[in-house]
Amino acid sequence: MDKYRIESHKLHFHVDRVHDWLAGKDIYPIYVEISPSGACIHQCLYCALDFARHPSVFLDKDILKKRLFEMGHLGVKSIMYSGEGEPLMHRHIGQIILDTKRAGMDVALTTNGVLFDKKLCDATLSHFSWIKVSITAGKRTTYAVIHQTGPDDFDRVMKNMSYAARLKQSKGLKCALGMQIILLPENHKEVTLLARKARDIGMDYLVVKPYSQHPFSKTKKYKNIKYAKYLGLADKLCKFNNHRFSVIFRVHTMKKWDEARHAYRQCLALPFWSYIGSTGSVWGCANYQTRKEFYLGNIYKDTFQKIWRSQRRKAFMAWAKDNLDTRRCRFNCRMDEVNRYLWELMHPPEHVNFI
């Protein structure tokens, strides 16, 4: 019951942009991820971006506003606020969300949910397409250990998201409210408990996903985790599905973790998305932020259009085509399914005309 296609991709709904890319045109991204905050209130054991923290750095709201309206004009369709820190730590995040929507783009948020209180929820919920909360346990004690925080934060998240669900229902809002748990040895016995709690407080879905080792992460604790022994959870979680709530158990992604990589040897997804970090730097790929080869420019110095059309980015794309070996990339990265789709378009199998 994955109506949001979290386990897959949605690039085939953007035929015009894909057509232009296939024709060799230099397209603007459909989706941009932005990190408004370099700081985080948690120090999660599984954090993939522990190498990229900028604890006291926050994006300038006025510069960002200018760039948001520019990106909307250029054809960017959506912005997700997430990144190397907790986005809700930015003291102007409410205004930033409103500005993004006014710029004509869809807005989404990945957060730990601790700071999504009643005031912020009232001001912003109607503007979101979706909100996904990372909550990696079903019990407050386990949550505290994995998130490296106090157990009361678990209660705050549940309270905040319960209120968001009630507000959504009372106002007839369309924002999809979800939770996400990364399946780990410490929490696998609590997934069904979390599914029950998420359903009971009014969430639309719970995503159960595998860990993905970042090549630059300081965290190595789960590097060799295997998921074959956890696949049986899928049957137990099906009982929570109904017309209002679904558990998206990412079995396809888990199986990929234990299998060989796909045949594609280039990251073809690079033109379709971008990442802006908390320092204002624009990166060719979020997974390679801090690597000089992937640095495209900074929104404090140049417009997004100038950065995207720059010689530096053209040089990066040429370099990536010849030198970026996807076998060394983060396994099961966010663009894996997009890359599989684009690679197949570029290398179609036999008999494709027999539709």
Side-chain angles (χ1 to χ4, degrees):
M1 298 177 66
D2 184 11
K3 71 177 184 178
Y4 303 110
R5 296 177 183 263
I6 293 172
E7 182 80 321
S8 182
H9 71 93
K10 290 166 277 223
L11 194 57
H12 49 280
F13 293 107
H14 299 276
V15 177
D16 55 343
R17 202 78 56 106
V18 174
H19 177 271
D20 287 345
W21 173 77
L22 286 170
K25 295 182 180 180
D26 188 13
I27 61 171
Y28 283 104
I30 295 169
Y31 157 80
V32 176
E33 183 177 331
I34 298 178
S35 177
S37 165
C40 191
I41 54 177
H42 291 172
Q43 302 292 324
C44 299
L45 295 177
Y46 59 87
C47 182
L49 295 176
D50 51 10
F51 70 97
R53 289 277 168 78
H54 301 92
S56 61
V57 176
F58 301 90
L59 276 175
D60 182 278
K61 68 178 180 64
D62 296 322
I63 294 293
L64 180 56
K65 180 179 180 179
K66 292 179 181 178
R67 300 298 176 254
L68 287 171
F69 277 86
E70 179 199 355
M71 286 189 284
H73 178 73
L74 292 172
V76 175
K77 301 290 186 183
S78 65
I79 302 290
M80 183 181 79
Y81 289 105
S82 180
E84 69 261 22
E86 167 53 51
L88 298 187
M89 288 187 71
H90 197 297
R91 63 192 181 103
H92 298 294
I93 190 63
Q95 187 59 51
I96 289 171
I97 291 163
L98 299 184
D99 288 338
T100 309
K101 192 63 178 178
R102 290 185 185 123
M105 295 178 290
D106 294 336
V107 195
L109 173 70
T110 298
T111 173
N112 59 40
V114 175
L115 301 177
F116 196 60
D117 57 18
K118 182 179 183 296
K119 182 179 179 181
L120 184 59
C121 185
D122 285 341
T124 63
L125 190 64
S126 63
H127 300 281
F128 281 111
S129 294
W130 55 265
I131 298 172
K132 189 187 301 175
V133 174
S134 296
I135 179 167
T136 314
K139 298 179 180 178
R140 62 200 306 270
T141 50
T142 311
Y143 175 92
V145 172
I146 296 176
H147 285 254
Q148 295 290 281
T149 188
D152 288 348
D153 274 3
F154 181 88
D155 302 325
R156 291 188 185 97
V157 174
M158 287 296 176
K159 179 182 178 181
N160 291 343
M161 297 313 294
S162 179
Y163 176 78
R166 294 196 304 272
L167 181 64
K168 173 185 174 177
Q169 184 177 20
S170 66
K171 299 289 186 181
L173 305 179
K174 292 185 177 181
C175 175
L177 298 173
M179 290 182 166
Q180 177 172 279
I181 180 170
I182 295 179
L183 190 57
L184 302 172
E186 294 92 336
N187 65 23
H188 73 278
K189 293 182 179 179
E190 299 179 18
V191 178
T192 54
L193 177 60
L194 181 59
R196 181 180 297 109
K197 290 181 176 181
R199 181 196 62 188
D200 291 349
I201 67 170
M203 295 296 96
D204 295 298
Y205 64 87
L206 170 69
V207 176
V208 184
K209 66 176 289 187
Y211 172 77
S212 176
Q213 180 64 49
H214 195 294
F216 308 135
S217 177
K218 299 174 186 177
T219 301
K220 306 295 182 184
K221 182 179 176 67
Y222 305 107
K223 182 178 180 179
N224 297 315
I225 191 171
K226 298 293 183 182
Y227 280 99
K229 62 182 178 180
Y230 299 128
L231 299 181
L233 275 171
D235 293 333
K236 296 179 181 179
L237 292 167
C238 283
K239 66 181 181 180
F240 295 101
N241 295 336
N242 56 39
H243 68 283
R244 185 184 57 79
F245 176 80
S246 61
V247 178
I248 302 167
F249 190 80
R250 299 190 62 178
V251 62
H252 176 56
T253 306
M254 291 180 195
K255 287 181 177 179
K256 285 193 293 182
W257 177 266
D258 294 336
E259 297 170 356
R261 286 180 180 263
H262 190 269
Y264 65 82
R265 290 294 176 261
Q266 290 177 247
C267 184
L268 301 174
L270 292 174
F272 293 91
W273 79 306
S274 188
Y275 178 85
I276 301 175
S278 58
T279 63
S281 294
V282 181
W283 301 95
C285 174
N287 289 328
Y288 287 95
Q289 55 183 295
T290 74
R291 291 305 195 257
K292 63 180 182 179
E293 297 90 349
F294 289 80
Y295 174 76
L296 305 181
N298 193 290
I299 62 171
Y300 291 164
K301 298 178 181 179
D302 292 305
T303 66
F304 187 81
Q305 182 178 33
K306 186 173 181 180
I307 293 169
W308 201 254
R309 297 295 190 188
S310 67
Q311 285 298 124
R312 185 180 190 93
R313 180 175 169 272
K314 289 180 181 178
F316 160 70
M317 292 300 294
W319 173 87
K321 181 179 179 181
D322 296 331
N323 298 283
L324 178 58
D325 186 350
T326 55
R327 290 172 296 185
R328 298 179 181 274
C329 290
R330 185 179 183 182
F331 192 56
N332 268 341
C333 88
R334 189 173 299 156
M335 291 296 139
D336 180 62
E337 288 296 324
V338 171
N339 270 313
R340 289 169 182 251
Y341 171 68
L342 294 174
W343 184 264
E344 193 169 44
L345 286 181
M346 296 289 288
H347 305 84
E350 296 179 357
H351 307 161
V352 294
N353 292 332
F354 295 89
I355 62 172

